[in-house]
Amino acid sequence: MAAKRAERLVNLVIALLGTRQYVTAARIRATVPGYEPDDGTARADEAFKRMFERDKAELREMGVPLETGRTSVFDTEDGYRIARADYELPEITLTGEEAAAVGLALRLWESAQLAGAAHSALVKLKAAGVDVDTGRAIPLQPRLDSDEPAFEPAYAAARDRRALEFDYRRPDEEAPARRHVQPWGVVAWHGRWYLGGLDLDRGAPRVFRLSRVVGTPRAVGPAGAFEPPPDVDLAAMVAGQIRGEEQLVVVRARPGAAIGLRRHAVPLGPAEDGDDRLQLSTTEPMRLADQLAAYGADVLVESPTAVREAVVERLTRLAGMT
């Protein structure tokens, strides 16, 4: 359905739901955006009639209870309305866990392909009086970033149970290595996407951060080639790997500076020179070094030495460019 036609149908439904009286075709033509305006010509009248007849038929095909009638005996022509009692959804009751699941799904499918469907579902549930909790505290924080090109092929391969191959660069490796995986699923953890599955080269379960995938993953082999273990817990797999990769970085920040950095830091108290000591946790120390370098003289890295040297190297390189 064309976007203009869909918008016109929505406007028509809203207009007919908002009144208890029957609304004539002439009134609909004058008040609902999207219809051929009345310019006094026979061509415009015929165009409106054809358009309105198609819209009525389509609404009825979709199950919208469009009624035809007259408000009083003095009316000279039929009008239209939608009985709210017949149109509204029946009462829907969700448990707290079900409402949280709906909220999770809405945040997950915030992609260009599925945003419309998710929004439509949210509108219908809210119209029925359901309190859909999109912000309830749950362990997953899904977010599909536009710069995550590996998501779509990884998700599709896991859904179709097809083997996947891709180049993967670990933080401690200079060059990416080719990986062959049976993808069990894609899961979000603390704002990042991970692929969990069986690493065929190592013969053991592994977790791969999608932001470290180089290029576009490629599905190989037939669909339905494997089944994930029935008791697999992807979130637990990711959590275990993250704990093993986390590195603590201690920095000093000038009072009142580095506000963005402080949002993710643990305060350690003041230093002897009056600066604030902060502790940061990261699984990508070199990316953190890029962020710290952006604060310039407002931030000084205490430890570890590798991160401090990386920040100094970046600042030195930037100074040479000025």
Side-chain angles (χ1 to χ4, degrees):
M1 182 186 299
K4 289 184 178 180
R5 187 178 182 187
E7 183 178 357
R8 186 177 68 249
L9 288 174
V10 171
N11 290 332
L12 178 58
V13 170
I14 293 174
L16 297 182
L17 274 173
T19 178
R20 296 181 180 179
Q21 299 179 338
Y22 290 95
V23 183
T24 64
R27 182 64 176 166
I28 290 172
R29 181 181 187 182
T31 58
V32 176
Y35 285 112
E36 187 76 19
D38 185 0
D39 60 3
T41 64
R43 184 205 62 80
D45 290 342
E46 184 62 28
F48 165 73
K49 290 178 181 178
R50 289 198 305 268
M51 188 180 297
F52 186 48
E53 289 300 322
R54 287 198 303 268
D55 289 350
K56 288 191 297 181
E58 182 146 0
L59 288 180
R60 288 181 171 127
E61 288 178 3
M62 292 188 296
V64 177
L66 184 63
E67 297 181 347
T68 303
R70 300 186 182 188
T71 305
S72 74
V73 295
F74 301 102
D75 291 338
T76 58
E77 59 179 300
D78 288 339
Y80 307 89
R81 72 179 182 186
I82 298 174
R84 184 175 294 273
D86 296 333
Y87 181 76
E88 291 178 340
L89 290 172
E91 181 179 356
I92 299 176
T93 302
L94 298 180
T95 65
E97 290 74 14
E98 290 170 338
V102 173
L104 171 62
L106 290 171
R107 294 208 308 276
L108 171 62
W109 297 120
E110 288 177 350
S111 63
Q113 295 89 344
L114 298 171
H119 179 71
S120 175
L122 177 62
V123 170
K124 291 179 181 178
L125 289 170
K126 287 187 173 181
V130 176
D131 184 14
V132 178
D133 188 352
T134 60
R136 180 175 174 178
I138 49 181
L140 299 179
Q141 297 296 327
R143 181 185 64 204
L144 179 56
D145 294 329
S146 59
D147 60 349
E148 207 73 284
F151 178 91
E152 294 288 352
Y155 174 81
R159 179 197 62 203
D160 299 336
R161 304 290 188 255
R162 298 183 65 190
L164 195 66
E165 61 180 32
F166 52 87
D167 293 328
Y168 189 75
R169 179 185 285 115
R170 291 177 53 86
D172 55 352
E173 296 176 348
E174 294 185 2
R178 177 56 59 98
R179 299 297 181 92
H180 302 85
V181 178
Q182 287 183 354
W184 294 342
V186 179
V187 66
W189 185 264
H190 293 184
R192 297 185 184 277
W193 286 105
Y194 296 84
L195 171 69
L198 177 64
D199 189 324
L200 297 175
D201 299 312
R202 292 159 178 78
R206 290 290 187 272
V207 172
F208 305 91
R209 182 183 294 181
L210 293 187
S211 62
R212 294 176 182 167
V213 173
V214 179
T216 302
R218 186 172 70 93
V220 294
F226 62 90
E227 284 295 329
D231 57 347
V232 65
D233 187 339
L234 293 178
M237 288 176 57
V238 174
Q241 175 168 307
I242 293 300
R243 283 192 292 268
E245 292 184 354
E246 279 185 338
Q247 184 174 357
L248 298 180
V249 178
V250 178
V251 303
R252 294 186 184 185
R254 289 178 177 176
I259 302 301
L261 195 66
R262 296 173 187 270
R263 296 193 183 102
H264 309 286
V266 176
L268 298 179
E272 295 180 357
D273 58 2
D275 286 349
D276 299 322
R277 298 182 72 244
L278 308 171
Q279 179 176 280
L280 299 160
S281 176
T282 181
T283 58
E284 294 186 305
M286 294 304 101
R287 177 176 292 186
L288 178 60
D290 292 336
Q291 299 173 359
L292 295 174
Y295 290 103
D298 288 334
V299 171
L300 172 67
V301 179
E302 284 190 2
S303 64
T305 302
V307 176
R308 180 171 64 248
E309 291 177 348
V311 173
V312 171
E313 185 274 330
R314 285 157 173 75
L315 292 175
T316 302
R317 185 173 67 249
L318 290 173
M321 296 172 59
T322 60

